[in-house]
């Protein structure tokens, strides 16, 4: 009998062990399939110049490994990007460099050089998140091909435990999961997934809001930017863990789905995400991040079968550059933001109050965007109306804003002390209203949103500011030879 019990106990442990291995292998295979798909998008011809220009010591002479840049131009990250793409083509079946020994030697040299010089950025993000993002992919993709010494160094570079909050937490937790996948450590994988899952909740602080807006850096609208970073991570792991014992719960899946369909899709025209949702990042060359939403919609379609058709249809419209199948008005009251959709146009009003953060600047970005949260009123038809315009903008004349004609840096966090700011909507029509009190300038502003009309009113405009006070209707690219107002062509000038 004792012998039988021991055999049953052994079988139980064996089943549990196989079950754990099965979960790890399933998730790992899904992630690797995703990486191989990405590899297929990388062309050898684009990577060969970097392979050929690598020096014997594994470095490149056009990279400053002591760079003190704090934004996306921190040069050592280019080293890892090049190595990552070299790993992609090494693993790309059917190409000349597939499993090429010479290329593997180059990858080895590049990694050895990195760990020798150990570059460090004055911006913590590059050290704690950006570097790991690259090594996540390099480590898992090349796990069976790198020298044990190098793989160990990569694994030890990856995050061991989750930390921080919001989008930063999800990025760090992703590195924890990758480390667990390489190590075959189910508990580490669980800790990363649990940390991400714990952030998928309606929050009174940063994160998901009950109105399907998203906050980061305080009560600051960030459905673009950090919100997309958060969705990227959450949708990725929602898809990769679907149907396994580590899958996110249905309430978590519902929150992600609602943010996409009831939040982000209301902030998109064509394939452009409303620039007012991107924080300081809207001036970057890759701003207007609607195409990113397309990917996250498709992932969630695989994770949420009950909403698969709706999610897929929304993604298809972005891919085709078409407007969303939305007609109506929505006020995101947690974020002082109104969105209004019709077949022929989309418009938004970005405001701020004592309850919210209006705008931020930092890391060399958004140096002139002081007036952005004070009634900014974008008007889109196709979605490309403001594409690449920001370097040419006159930052004293922003669409919809009443302000002194002066260009100012907003600092790390800017708002106003007024509380009478908000909106009302019956889901078809809406009104947004704001008391303005900033830079010795006061006003009462309101926007009435109808089927074919946007009525913008201002009254009580007073200022002791020494600069001229203006209200700007719009500032956008002119896709015509003339501008027609009330049926008449008008010339350039101040009216």
């Amino acid at each position: 009998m004792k012998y039988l019990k021991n055999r049953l106990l052994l079988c139980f442990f064996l089943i549990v062990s196989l079950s754990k291995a099965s979960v790890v292998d399933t998730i790992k295979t899904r992630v690797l399939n995703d990486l191989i798909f990405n590899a297929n998008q990388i062309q050898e011809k684009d990577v060969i110049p970097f392979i050929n220009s690598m020096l014997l010591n594994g470095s490149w002479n056009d990279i400053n490994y002591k760079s003190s840049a704090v934004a996306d131009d921190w040069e050592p990250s280019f080293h890892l990007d090049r190595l990552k793409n070299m790993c992609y083509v090494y693993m790309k079946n059917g190409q000349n460099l597939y499993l090429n020994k010479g290329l593997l030697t180059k990858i080895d040299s590049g990694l050895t050089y990195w760990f020798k010089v150990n570059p460090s950025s004055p911006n913590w993000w590059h050290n704690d998140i950006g570097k790991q993002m690259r090594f996540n992919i390099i480590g898992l993709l090349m796990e069976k091909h790198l020298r044990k010494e190098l793989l160990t160094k990569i694994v030890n570079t990856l995050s061991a435990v989750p930390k921080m909050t919001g989008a930063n937490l999800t990025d760090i937790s992703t590195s924890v999961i990758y480390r667990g996948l390489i190590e075959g450590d189910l508990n580490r994988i669980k800790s990363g997934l649990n940390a991400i899952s714990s952030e998928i909740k309606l929050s009174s602080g940063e994160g998901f809001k009950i109105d399907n807006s998203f906050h980061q850096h305080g009560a600051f609208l960030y459905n673009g930017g950090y919100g997309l970073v958060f969705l990227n991570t959450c949708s990725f792991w929602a898809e990769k863990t679907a149907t396994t014992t580590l899958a996110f719960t249905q309430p978590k899946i519902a929150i992600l789905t609602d943010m996409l369909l009831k939040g982000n899709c209301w902030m998109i025209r064509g394939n452009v995400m409303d620039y007012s949702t991107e924080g300081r990042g809207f001036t970057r060359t890759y701003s207007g991040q609607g195409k990113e939403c397309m990917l996250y919609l498709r992932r969630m379609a695989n994770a949420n079968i009950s909403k698969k058709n709706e999610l897929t249809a929304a993604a298809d419209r972005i891919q085709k550059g078409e407007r969303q199948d939305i007609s109506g008005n929505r006020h995101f009251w947690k974020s002082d933001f109104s969105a209004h959709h019709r077949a022929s146009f989309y418009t938004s009003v970005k405001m701020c109050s004592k309850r919210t953060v209006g705008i931020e600047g930092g890391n060399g970005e958004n140096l002139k965007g002081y007036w952005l949260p004070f009634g900014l009123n974008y008007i889109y038809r196709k979605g490309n109306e403001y594409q690449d315009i920001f370097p040419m903008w006159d930052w004293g004349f922003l669409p919809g804003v009443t302000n002194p004609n002066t260009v100012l840096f907003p600092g790390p966090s800017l708002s106003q002390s007024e509380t009478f700011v908000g909106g009302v909507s019956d889901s078809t029509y809406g009104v947004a209203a704001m008391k303005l009190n900033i830079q010795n300038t006061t006003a009462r502003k309101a926007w009435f949103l109808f089927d074919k009309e946007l009525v913008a009113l201002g009254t009580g405009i007073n200022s002791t500011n020494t600069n001229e006070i203006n209200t700007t209707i719009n500032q956008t690219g002119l896709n015509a030879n003339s501008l027609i107002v009330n049926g008449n062509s008008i010339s350039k000038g101040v009216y």
Side-chain angles (χ1 to χ4, degrees):
M1 187 68 176
K2 184 177 179 181
Y3 175 70
L4 179 59
K5 286 181 179 179
N6 287 340
R7 287 192 62 183
L8 289 174
L9 190 61
L10 178 62
C11 289
F12 173 75
F13 283 132
L14 182 61
I15 290 169
V16 170
S17 178
L18 289 173
S19 176
K20 288 182 179 180
S22 176
V23 173
V24 174
D25 289 344
T26 296
I27 296 173
K28 190 172 185 176
T29 298
R30 290 175 178 178
V31 174
L32 280 170
N33 287 342
D34 207 72
L35 295 182
I36 295 301
F37 174 83
N38 292 339
N40 289 331
Q41 314 309 307
I42 305 297
Q43 300 300 315
E44 270 192 9
K45 63 181 179 62
D46 297 325
V47 181
I48 287 175
F50 297 123
I51 298 173
N52 293 337
S53 62
M54 178 184 276
L55 303 179
L56 290 177
N57 67 354
S59 69
W60 282 278
N61 60 16
D62 63 334
I63 292 178
N64 175 13
Y65 292 90
K66 296 182 179 180
S67 170
S68 59
V70 296
D72 290 346
D73 56 350
W74 186 59
E75 292 188 29
S77 65
F78 304 159
H79 180 98
L80 293 181
D81 285 333
R82 293 174 185 181
L83 286 178
K84 180 182 68 177
N85 286 339
M86 288 164 64
C87 293
Y88 275 142
V89 298
Y90 179 81
M91 294 299 296
K92 187 175 180 180
N93 198 347
Q95 289 210 16
N96 294 328
L97 291 175
Y98 176 60
L99 301 183
N100 181 277
K101 291 183 179 180
L103 175 55
L104 182 60
T105 299
K106 292 268 188 175
I107 293 170
D108 185 293
S109 297
L111 290 170
T112 300
Y113 183 82
W114 176 274
F115 288 114
K116 177 182 178 181
V117 298
N118 192 25
S120 180
S121 170
N123 184 345
W124 69 269
W125 186 91
H126 289 293
N127 301 322
D128 293 350
I129 293 179
K131 175 173 64 176
Q132 287 76 4
M133 283 181 169
R134 279 86 171 181
F135 277 127
N136 291 339
I137 295 170
I138 294 171
L140 189 61
L141 200 59
M142 301 295 292
E143 177 187 2
K144 297 180 180 179
H145 304 275
L146 294 176
R147 289 187 291 118
K148 184 177 179 181
E149 176 190 354
L150 280 179
L151 183 62
T152 299
K153 288 182 177 180
I154 289 174
V155 168
N156 290 336
T157 300
L158 302 184
S159 303
V161 294
K163 60 181 180 179
M164 303 190 73
T165 62
N168 293 327
L169 170 69
T170 61
D171 283 338
I172 291 172
S173 298
T174 287
S175 187
V176 173
I177 298 168
Y178 270 91
R179 181 168 178 164
L181 289 173
I182 296 171
E183 295 172 329
D185 187 339
L186 180 62
N187 288 331
R188 198 185 297 279
I189 295 168
K190 281 183 177 179
S191 72
L193 289 170
N194 287 341
I196 294 171
S197 178
S198 70
E199 290 292 298
I200 307 174
K201 61 185 178 184
L202 299 181
S203 171
S204 59
E206 294 184 350
F208 295 96
K209 312 309 292 182
I210 195 169
D211 63 354
N212 295 302
S213 61
F214 184 90
H215 286 180
Q216 188 84 12
H217 296 171
F220 184 25
L221 176 65
Y222 243 130
N223 281 61
Y226 283 99
L228 288 182
V229 171
F230 200 94
L231 277 175
N232 180 22
T233 304
C234 293
S235 65
F236 182 87
W237 294 116
E239 181 185 49
K240 300 302 177 282
T241 61
T243 71
T244 75
T245 56
L246 299 184
F248 293 157
T249 63
Q250 281 306 306
K252 306 286 186 180
I253 295 295
I255 290 173
L256 296 174
T257 301
D258 283 349
M259 181 176 166
L260 281 164
L261 294 178
K262 299 177 182 179
N264 287 22
C265 283
W266 276 81
M267 303 170 184
I268 290 176
R269 190 69 173 186
N271 56 25
V272 173
M273 190 146 187
D274 195 311
Y275 298 105
S276 284
T277 70
E278 296 185 7
R280 70 177 188 272
F282 77 102
T283 56
R284 297 172 187 170
T285 54
Y286 54 84
S287 64
Q289 303 162 310
K291 290 183 179 179
E292 292 186 31
C293 275
M294 175 185 70
L295 172 61
Y296 310 153
L297 286 159
R298 295 202 188 286
R299 287 175 180 168
M300 291 309 300
N302 293 326
N304 189 352
I305 301 303
S306 66
K307 293 283 186 177
K308 185 178 183 69
N309 291 342
E310 191 175 351
L311 289 157
T312 301
D316 289 345
R317 292 186 188 96
I318 295 174
Q319 186 169 8
K320 296 173 184 177
E322 298 175 353
R323 71 176 187 88
Q324 291 297 307
D325 187 21
I326 291 173
S327 181
N329 180 279
R330 181 162 291 184
H331 182 71
F332 295 87
W333 55 279
K334 284 289 188 179
S335 301
D336 292 333
F337 180 80
S338 282
H340 188 75
H341 286 263
R342 290 297 187 270
S344 59
F345 74 99
Y346 159 65
T347 187
S348 65
V349 182
K350 164 73 171 171
M351 305 170 290
C352 64
S353 67
K354 187 177 181 179
R355 302 178 300 274
T356 58
V357 175
I359 194 62
E360 66 177 9
N363 291 341
E365 296 177 314
N366 193 28
L367 302 180
K368 301 179 179 181
Y370 187 96
W371 299 109
L372 287 168
F374 299 106
L376 187 70
N377 182 203
Y378 285 122
I379 303 171
Y380 303 88
R381 298 190 69 188
K382 294 182 178 179
N384 62 354
E385 285 77 6
Y386 304 94
Q387 185 175 350
D388 298 328
I389 198 174
F390 302 116
M392 299 174 284
W393 248 11
D394 184 332
W395 290 87
F397 294 93
L398 301 189
V401 180
T402 298
N403 62 280
N405 185 13
T406 180
V407 177
L408 303 168
F409 175 55
S413 181
L414 174 68
S415 192
Q416 64 169 347
S417 60
E418 291 292 343
T419 58
F420 190 86
V421 178
V424 62
S425 172
D426 67 356
S427 78
T428 301
Y429 306 107
V431 179
M434 178 183 69
K435 284 183 69 175
L436 173 71
N437 187 359
I438 196 79
Q439 290 291 325
N440 300 316
T441 302
T442 59
R444 288 174 169 82
K445 302 289 296 292
W447 296 262
F448 299 83
L449 305 162
F450 300 110
D451 290 317
K452 296 182 180 179
E453 302 87 13
L454 158 63
V455 180
L457 301 180
T459 188
I461 301 172
N462 294 288
S463 181
T464 58
N465 194 293
T466 57
N467 294 285
E468 177 181 80
I469 308 300
N470 296 298
T471 298
T472 305
I473 297 175
N474 204 357
Q475 188 182 171
T476 183
L478 180 61
N479 188 25
N481 295 323
S482 62
L483 183 64
I484 307 297
V485 176
N486 293 331
N488 300 312
S489 177
I490 65 171
S491 59
K492 179 180 178 181
V494 177
Y495 295 87

